[in-house]
């Protein structure tokens, strides 16, 4: 769990990971050396996993986004792990989620247009032997939070 100071540092990094250590230290009210040490420890603990640029997908000729719910068989760890790894390597794929329920995977893809999405579904997914079915949903709009706060001890199910 994060204390208030670590939470504040993480929030500022999520807002702009390019700001200087000195700027973050000033904003949270600590010495730059303390801030640097806190960030180092957050990286070591795996809280901060990296720093990334937020890229506009249409700028990369990826104007269509879709979510594909897929079912695979036989349902075994080997099939799940192999499918997840191989699907994640495809250039159209942004994310792969292993899920519970009626679907085994949720795959987020982007393509230049609807025809390219259709080709992806027909040529990349439909031909795979382990896939027994899939459903595709076109995404019209996507809103993603860029700053995520920890859930505190008062949240149902969260204990400290």
């Amino acid at each position: 769990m994060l204390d208030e100071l670590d939470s504040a540092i993480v929030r500022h990094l999520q807002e702009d990971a390019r700001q200087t250590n000195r700027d973050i230290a000033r904003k949270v009210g600590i010495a730059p050396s303390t801030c640097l040490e806190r960030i180092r420890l957050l990286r070591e603990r795996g809280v901060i996993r990296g720093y990334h640029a937020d890229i506009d997908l249409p700028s990369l000729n990826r104007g269509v986004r879709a979510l594909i719910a897929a079912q695979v068989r036989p349902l075994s760890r080997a099939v799940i792990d192999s499918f997840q790894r191989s699907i994640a390597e495809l250039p159209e794929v942004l994310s792969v989620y292993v899920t519970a329920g009626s679907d085994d995977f949720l795959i987020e893809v982007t393509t230049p247009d609807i025809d390219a999405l259709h080709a992806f579904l027909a040529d990349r997914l439909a031909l795979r032997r382990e896939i027994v079915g899939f459903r595709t949903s076109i995404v019209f709009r996507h809103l993603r939070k860029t700053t995520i706060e920890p859930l505190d001890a008062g949240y149902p199910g969260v204990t400290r």
Side-chain angles (χ1 to χ4, degrees), residues 90-119:
L90 298 176
E92 298 89 349
V93 174
L94 293 180
S95 302
V96 180
Y97 301 91
V98 179
T99 60
S102 60
D103 300 313
D104 303 311
F105 291 90
L106 185 61
I107 307 159
E108 181 182 16
V109 300
T110 60
T111 60
D113 52 38
I114 294 295
D115 289 335
L117 175 61
H118 181 257

Coordinates of all heavy atoms in Angstrom, one line a residue, residues 90-119:
L90 N 0.9 -10.0 -32.5 CA 0.3 -9.5 -33.7 C 0.3 -7.9 -33.7 O 0.0 -7.3 -32.7 CB -1.1 -10.0 -34.0 CG -1.2 -11.5 -34.1 CD1 -2.7 -11.9 -34.2 CD2 -0.4 -12.0 -35.3
P91 N 0.7 -7.3 -34.8 CA 0.8 -5.9 -34.8 C -0.5 -5.1 -34.6 O -0.5 -4.0 -34.1 CB 1.3 -5.5 -36.2 CG 1.0 -6.7 -37.1 CD 1.0 -7.9 -36.1
E92 N -1.6 -5.7 -34.9 CA -2.9 -5.0 -34.7 C -3.4 -5.0 -33.2 O -4.2 -4.2 -32.8 CB -4.0 -5.7 -35.5 CG -3.8 -5.7 -37.0 CD -3.0 -6.9 -37.5 OE1 -2.4 -7.7 -36.7 OE2 -3.0 -7.1 -38.7
V93 N -2.8 -5.9 -32.4 CA -3.2 -6.1 -31.0 C -2.6 -5.1 -30.1 O -1.4 -4.9 -30.0 CB -2.9 -7.5 -30.6 CG1 -3.2 -7.7 -29.1 CG2 -3.7 -8.5 -31.4
L94 N -3.5 -4.4 -29.3 CA -3.0 -3.5 -28.2 C -2.9 -4.2 -26.9 O -2.0 -3.9 -26.1 CB -4.0 -2.3 -28.1 CG -4.0 -1.3 -29.3 CD1 -5.0 -0.2 -28.9 CD2 -2.7 -0.8 -29.6
S95 N -3.9 -5.0 -26.5 CA -4.0 -5.6 -25.2 C -4.7 -7.0 -25.4 O -5.5 -7.2 -26.2 CB -4.9 -4.8 -24.3 OG -4.4 -3.5 -24.1
V96 N -4.3 -7.9 -24.5 CA -4.9 -9.2 -24.4 C -5.2 -9.4 -22.9 O -4.3 -9.3 -22.0 CB -4.0 -10.3 -24.9 CG1 -4.7 -11.7 -24.8 CG2 -3.5 -10.0 -26.3
Y97 N -6.5 -9.7 -22.6 CA -6.9 -10.0 -21.3 C -7.4 -11.4 -21.2 O -8.2 -11.9 -22.0 CB -8.1 -9.1 -20.9 CG -7.8 -7.6 -20.9 CD1 -8.0 -6.9 -22.1 CD2 -7.3 -6.9 -19.8 CE1 -7.7 -5.5 -22.2 CE2 -7.0 -5.6 -19.9 CZ -7.2 -4.9 -21.0 OH -7.0 -3.5 -21.1
V98 N -6.9 -12.2 -20.2 CA -7.5 -13.5 -19.9 C -8.6 -13.3 -18.9 O -8.4 -12.7 -17.9 CB -6.4 -14.4 -19.3 CG1 -7.0 -15.8 -19.0 CG2 -5.2 -14.6 -20.3
T99 N -9.8 -13.8 -19.3 CA -11.0 -13.5 -18.5 C -11.7 -14.8 -18.0 O -11.4 -15.9 -18.5 CB -12.0 -12.7 -19.3 OG1 -12.4 -13.5 -20.5 CG2 -11.4 -11.4 -19.8
A100 N -12.6 -14.6 -17.0 CA -13.4 -15.7 -16.6 C -14.8 -15.4 -17.1 O -15.2 -14.3 -17.5 CB -13.4 -15.7 -15.0
G101 N -15.6 -16.5 -17.1 CA -17.0 -16.3 -17.6 C -17.1 -17.0 -18.9 O -16.4 -18.0 -19.3
S102 N -18.1 -16.6 -19.8 CA -18.3 -17.3 -21.0 C -17.2 -17.0 -22.1 O -17.1 -17.8 -23.0 CB -19.7 -16.8 -21.6 OG -19.6 -15.4 -21.9
D103 N -16.4 -16.0 -21.9 CA -15.3 -15.7 -22.8 C -14.0 -16.0 -22.1 O -13.9 -15.7 -20.9 CB -15.4 -14.3 -23.3 CG -16.6 -14.0 -24.1 OD1 -17.0 -14.8 -24.9 OD2 -17.3 -13.0 -23.8
D104 N -13.0 -16.5 -22.8 CA -11.7 -16.8 -22.2 C -10.7 -15.6 -22.4 O -9.8 -15.5 -21.6 CB -11.1 -18.0 -22.9 CG -12.1 -19.2 -22.7 OD1 -12.5 -19.5 -21.6 OD2 -12.4 -19.9 -23.8
F105 N -10.9 -14.8 -23.5 CA -10.0 -13.7 -23.8 C -10.8 -12.5 -24.2 O -11.9 -12.6 -24.9 CB -9.1 -14.1 -24.9 CG -8.1 -15.1 -24.5 CD1 -8.3 -16.4 -24.7 CD2 -6.9 -14.7 -24.0 CE1 -7.4 -17.4 -24.4 CE2 -5.9 -15.6 -23.6 CZ -6.2 -17.0 -23.8
L106 N -10.3 -11.3 -23.9 CA -10.8 -10.1 -24.5 C -9.5 -9.5 -25.1 O -8.5 -9.2 -24.5 CB -11.3 -9.1 -23.4 CG -12.0 -7.9 -23.9 CD1 -13.1 -8.1 -24.8 CD2 -12.4 -7.0 -22.7
I107 N -9.6 -9.2 -26.4 CA -8.5 -8.7 -27.2 C -8.9 -7.4 -27.8 O -9.9 -7.2 -28.5 CB -8.2 -9.7 -28.4 CG1 -8.1 -11.2 -27.8 CG2 -7.0 -9.3 -29.2 CD1 -8.3 -12.2 -28.9
E108 N -8.0 -6.4 -27.5 CA -8.2 -5.1 -28.0 C -7.3 -4.9 -29.3 O -6.1 -5.1 -29.2 CB -7.8 -4.0 -27.0 CG -8.0 -2.6 -27.4 CD -7.6 -1.6 -26.4 OE1 -6.9 -2.0 -25.4 OE2 -8.0 -0.4 -26.5
V109 N -7.9 -4.5 -30.4 CA -7.2 -4.4 -31.6 C -7.4 -3.0 -32.3 O -8.5 -2.4 -32.0 CB -7.5 -5.5 -32.6 CG1 -7.2 -6.9 -32.1 CG2 -8.9 -5.4 -33.1
T110 N -6.5 -2.6 -33.1 CA -6.7 -1.4 -33.9 C -6.2 -1.7 -35.3 O -5.3 -2.4 -35.5 CB -5.9 -0.2 -33.3 OG1 -4.5 -0.5 -33.3 CG2 -6.4 0.2 -32.0
T111 N -7.0 -1.1 -36.3 CA -6.7 -1.3 -37.7 C -6.9 0.0 -38.4 O -7.6 0.9 -37.9 CB -7.5 -2.4 -38.3 OG1 -8.9 -2.1 -38.2 CG2 -7.3 -3.8 -37.6
P112 N -6.4 0.1 -39.6 CA -6.7 1.4 -40.4 C -8.1 1.6 -40.7 O -8.6 2.8 -40.7 CB -5.9 1.1 -41.7 CG -4.8 0.1 -41.4 CD -5.5 -0.8 -40.3
D113 N -8.9 0.5 -41.0 CA -10.3 0.7 -41.4 C -11.0 -0.6 -41.2 O -10.5 -1.6 -40.7 CB -10.4 1.1 -42.9 CG -9.6 0.2 -43.8 OD1 -9.6 -1.0 -43.6 OD2 -9.0 0.7 -44.8
I114 N -12.3 -0.6 -41.5 CA -13.2 -1.8 -41.3 C -12.7 -2.9 -42.1 O -12.8 -4.1 -41.7 CB -14.7 -1.4 -41.6 CG1 -15.2 -0.4 -40.5 CG2 -15.6 -2.6 -41.6 CD1 -15.2 -0.9 -39.1
D115 N -12.3 -2.7 -43.4 CA -11.8 -3.8 -44.2 C -10.6 -4.5 -43.6 O -10.5 -5.7 -43.6 CB -11.5 -3.3 -45.6 CG -12.7 -2.9 -46.4 OD1 -13.8 -3.4 -46.1 OD2 -12.6 -2.0 -47.3
A116 N -9.7 -3.7 -43.0 CA -8.6 -4.3 -42.4 C -9.0 -5.1 -41.1 O -8.4 -6.1 -40.8 CB -7.5 -3.2 -42.0
L117 N -10.0 -4.6 -40.4 CA -10.5 -5.3 -39.2 C -11.1 -6.7 -39.7 O -10.8 -7.7 -39.1 CB -11.5 -4.5 -38.5 CG -12.2 -5.2 -37.3 CD1 -11.2 -5.6 -36.2 CD2 -13.3 -4.3 -36.7
H118 N -11.9 -6.6 -40.8 CA -12.4 -7.9 -41.3 C -11.4 -8.8 -41.7 O -11.4 -10.0 -41.4 CB -13.4 -7.5 -42.5 CG -14.0 -8.7 -43.0 ND1 -13.6 -9.3 -44.2 CD2 -15.0 -9.5 -42.6 CE1 -14.3 -10.4 -44.4 NE2 -15.2 -10.5 -43.5
A119 N -10.3 -8.4 -42.3 CA -9.2 -9.2 -42.7 C -8.5 -9.8 -41.5 O -8.1 -11.0 -41.5 CB -8.2 -8.4 -43.6

